[in-house]
């Protein structure tokens, strides 16, 4: 949508080796690897290792990391929080609270040495999906599906969410969606994690704070908003007029435009291809893909707007049977890798992040004399 | 101590009407009122109202606000979190988790209109002390003291912490300490709250994230570190040599120096006077005040350092019978007012805060061909 003014936009707040964005060519790279290359060739586990450690794992390193990521069970205190409120609480307040409670059972709560933080990072990556899936099952009044350490990250996560084994195509689509959302430079939640880490707070605190930022609808809620917009449009035929109407009314067009990319967000065509594949699978409604595609075409023709990561992301999740209001929580499960990588980087050479404000308030004034005093 | 390099130091990230700092003259003002004037004449309730609303309350407004702040009871879900872990968990992880869980019972969770956020702010100011005091009592194996809505903020808080009525002098000292910690411009936790609010996340999320930042020892842990340093020194006579030793070893001197003030932090002499008053009260050990005073004198003589808010803050709390590791949680109870005021201000004219990073990582590279593929 029309570019919003962004505070600190373009102001460099950190040096990073994790991620780079070429806004003109529309290239996103994790540690030097093109996101399209990773989406085609890597698994989420490999990408998570790459982001945390800086290099792709050897087969032995990958095996050991998979074992770390298979420790997916939740401690009883966290289960109690999720089960206690699942019917009434929102996904993101539950995730925020449950992740905060994970530190209760951390063997060295508060420790910020690299080895501890690297261990905490793997734990968080492993446990967040269990929280999200358990919450989702419990609010439907269904039994939670225990995590299966023999499954890949993506297959286990989808199985826990849905209570039945996904197809290989579904697993791959979900895995790629997780890869594409894992990291995106100095976005608001990642910046939050770095500001918190800058006070030398611990990994759990930084990740909880990042979840707080992602809870904001204009950060973590964009693919949810795009899907709701598609539901409002109802059919691909209605899209042209609907877009015109929204543009005239100066209403936001979700899933379009980006403060950084000047052309196509490189994640959009990858998700588009996955959405297109899934559109004709058993029981999936082709219209959601058709609507998203029409939105992309009409928004470009009518206003020169380009698709971003959120245009097809929600369609992929819809085809995987995941309800709209879970999208931000899935985003958190993926992005926790990027947050953790930035916390490790921040703590490797820590400096507190403490900006200034321009005071525009009242002039100096004296406390009034009290009546009777 | 030597000034640490601070990222974003001096970079203006927001315009604010809440607080101003004159670093040369050493003046801190809330909404135009000198902190010394407020410490002498106002109560914490009045200061909280001033920070949130922009003006001091009329007597009717103050009465209504006091009623809001008297709703101090915790919902059962929060009680369960505090009681369940009080013996093992740290104060700040408990506070972080319990405050996050407060939103479960918020009547319009996630709402960000001003009226809702103003109500949530009062609730948080009212309920944080109950969490902190309950945690403290339970970990000592003692019964929690129910909040008393007829008492002032400070008297109720001290009573809940200690299980017995404080003296009028103790209440006033605690009230002033709360006033002095309530707000300090764009510090790391307040900035965190604003970055989170910038995504249009809600008041609870912004406050939870701010607690995460305050948990960092170099932000919320400074008066605790100062008190531990005094314990290490042991007596006022030992201070001169101990300071010399620390300076030679380039070890941090806690409670001294400030990234903003170029002379005395204006909060220091106010806390010093309170500490001095309390030093000779029933059962209090005069040596803590004497050590702090010697540290102030020696650090200035030996290195030209000035006292900051943390030098006497811990001594005041020690004299009020509060253990060191609770200091950061007390800081949060006070500072929640400033955080909330900044969230209200951010949301009055919201823009997402999304800076940039300078990429210094690997050059573009291709995903390796897999062995056997």
């Amino acid at each position: 949508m029309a570019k919003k003014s962004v505070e600190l936009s373009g102001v460099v707040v950190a040096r990073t080796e994790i991620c780079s964005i070429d806004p003109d060519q529309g290239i996103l790279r994790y540690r030097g690897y093109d996101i399209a290359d990773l989406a085609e060739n890597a698994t989420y586990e490999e990408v998570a290792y790459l982001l945390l450690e800086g290099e792709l794992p050897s087969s032995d390193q990958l095996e050991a990391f998979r074992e770390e990521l298979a420790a997916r069970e939740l401690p009883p205190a966290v289960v109690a929080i999720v089960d206690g409120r699942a019917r009434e609480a929102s996904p993101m307040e539950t995730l925020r609270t449950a992740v905060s409670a994970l530190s209760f059972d951390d063997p060295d709560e508060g420790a910020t040495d690299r080895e501890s933080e690297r261990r905490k990072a793997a734990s968080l990556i492993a446990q967040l999906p269990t929280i999200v899936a358990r919450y989702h099952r419990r609010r439907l009044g269904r039994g939670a599906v225990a995590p299966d350490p023999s499954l890949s990250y993506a297959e286990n996560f989808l199985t826990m969410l849905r209570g039945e084994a996904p197809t290989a195509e579904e697993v791959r689509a979900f895995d790629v969606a997780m890869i594409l959302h894992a990291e995106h430079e100095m976005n608001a939640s990642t910046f939050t994690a770095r500001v918190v880490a800058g006070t030398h707070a611990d990994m759990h605190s930084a990740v909880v704070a990042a979840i707080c930022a992602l809870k904001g609808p204009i950060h973590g809620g964009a693919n949810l908003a795009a899907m709701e917009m598609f539901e409002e449009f109802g059919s691909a035929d209605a899209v042209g007029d609907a877009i015109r109407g929204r543009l005239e009314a100066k209403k936001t067009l979700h899933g379009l435009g980006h403060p950084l990319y000047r052309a196509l967000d490189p994640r959009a065509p990858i998700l588009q291809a996955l959405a297109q594949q899934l559109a004709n699978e058993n029981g999936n409604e082709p219209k959601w893909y058709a609507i998203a595609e029409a939105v992309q075409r009409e928004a470009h023709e009518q206003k020169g707007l380009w698709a971003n990561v959120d245009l097809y992301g929600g369609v992929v999740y819809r085809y995987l049977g995941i309800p709209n209001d879970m999208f931000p929580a899935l985003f958190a499960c993926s992005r926790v890798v990027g947050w953790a990588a930035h916390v490790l980087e921040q703590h490797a050479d820590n400096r507190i992040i403490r900006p200034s404000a321009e005071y525009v308030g009242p002039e100096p004034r004296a406390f009034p004399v009290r009546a009777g005093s």
Side-chain angles (χ1 to χ4, degrees), chain A:
Chain A
M1 210 23 256
K3 274 179 196 150
K4 297 273 170 59
S5 151
V6 177
E7 292 292 331
L8 279 182
S9 181
V11 175
V12 171
V13 295
R15 305 177 84 197
T16 184
E17 301 181 9
I18 300 169
C19 174
S20 63
I21 293 166
D22 183 328
D24 293 308
Q25 293 198 64
I27 302 177
L28 168 63
R29 291 189 182 89
Y30 296 169
R31 304 276 190 187
Y33 294 104
D34 191 316
I35 189 74
D37 200 0
L38 293 171
E40 195 170 327
N41 293 297
T43 63
Y44 184 70
E45 288 89 333
E46 287 172 310
V47 168
Y49 187 98
L50 171 68
L51 286 168
L52 293 178
E53 300 284 3
E55 297 294 335
L56 287 165
S58 69
S59 57
D60 284 356
Q61 287 167 333
L62 181 58
E63 194 45 49
F65 190 53
R66 277 192 183 128
E67 266 177 49
E68 279 192 89
L69 295 191
R72 295 162 176 153
E73 298 281 350
L74 302 177
V78 176
V79 168
I81 286 169
V82 175
D83 288 8
R85 307 301 299 204
R87 278 169 200 280
E88 314 99 48
S90 72
M92 289 296 275
E93 64 174 332
T94 304
L95 186 63
R96 185 186 66 207
T97 311
V99 172
S100 181
L102 280 175
S103 76
F104 288 150
D105 289 272
D106 192 81
D108 50 0
E109 194 279 321
T112 56
D113 60 286
R114 184 175 166 92
E115 193 183 324
S116 295
E117 293 212 312
R118 173 57 189 70
R119 183 189 54 69
K120 290 168 200 269
S123 263
L124 286 161
I125 297 164
Q127 290 176 311
L128 259 67
T130 317
I131 292 171
V132 169
R134 184 175 188 100
Y135 163 80
H136 177 54
R137 301 287 299 175
R138 298 296 298 203
R139 71 171 177 170
L140 296 174
R142 299 192 187 144
V145 178
D148 180 346
S150 75
L151 300 181
S152 75
Y153 175 91
E155 184 169 6
N156 173 67
F157 195 172
L158 269 183
T159 306
M160 289 193 303
L161 277 168
R162 309 198 315 186
E164 56 184 29
T167 67
E169 188 183 12
E170 288 174 327
V171 170
R172 184 62 195 152
F174 192 67
D175 202 53
V176 170
M178 290 287 117
I179 289 171
L180 296 180
H181 288 88
E183 162 62 12
H184 207 245
E185 206 226 32
M186 206 54 67
N187 57 87
S189 57
T190 301
F191 182 46
T192 300
R194 284 191 85 126
V195 175
V196 169
T199 72
H200 233 86
D202 55 284
M203 181 65 76
H204 285 86
S205 295
V207 167
V208 168
I211 291 171
C212 293
L214 196 71
K215 188 170 185 290
I218 58 175
H219 182 16
N223 53 5
L224 156 62
M227 197 68 219
E228 288 174 344
M229 191 180 78
F230 301 163
E231 289 169 353
E232 187 190 314
F233 294 171
S235 76
D237 291 343
V239 165
D241 287 345
I243 297 273
R244 235 178 313 278
R246 282 211 168 215
L247 286 171
E248 277 164 20
K250 297 191 190 302
K251 284 178 77 178
T252 302
L253 291 174
H254 302 287
L256 296 156
H258 196 279
L260 295 179
Y261 298 107
R262 296 193 192 105
L264 192 62
D265 181 331
R267 299 165 295 181
I270 303 170
L271 289 163
Q272 180 182 8
L274 293 171
Q276 190 171 21
Q277 274 173 41
L278 291 167
N280 298 304
E281 289 299 297
N282 53 324
N284 283 341
E285 289 184 273
K287 76 169 179 180
W288 300 118
Y289 175 73
I291 292 172
E293 202 186 31
V295 167
Q296 181 174 14
R297 189 180 57 249
E298 289 287 342
H300 191 71
E301 283 177 17
Q302 293 185 30
K303 188 76 181 179
L305 292 172
W306 296 93
N308 68 33
V309 67
D310 299 308
L311 191 70
Y312 293 100
V315 178
V316 169
Y317 291 149
R318 166 67 54 106
Y319 288 151
L320 294 175
I322 299 163
N324 296 0
D325 71 343
M326 298 300 289
F327 297 171
L330 296 184
F331 192 171
C333 290
S334 167
R335 183 60 57 87
V336 65
V337 169
W339 297 332
H342 279 273
V343 171
L344 290 168
E345 189 172 76
Q346 180 73 29
H347 281 171
D349 180 23
N350 195 46
R351 281 181 282 194
I352 197 164
I353 298 172
R354 205 276 183 217
S356 289
E358 180 192 356
Y359 181 68
V360 292
E363 291 294 302
R365 47 184 172 167
F367 197 86
V369 178
R370 293 194 197 261
S373 72

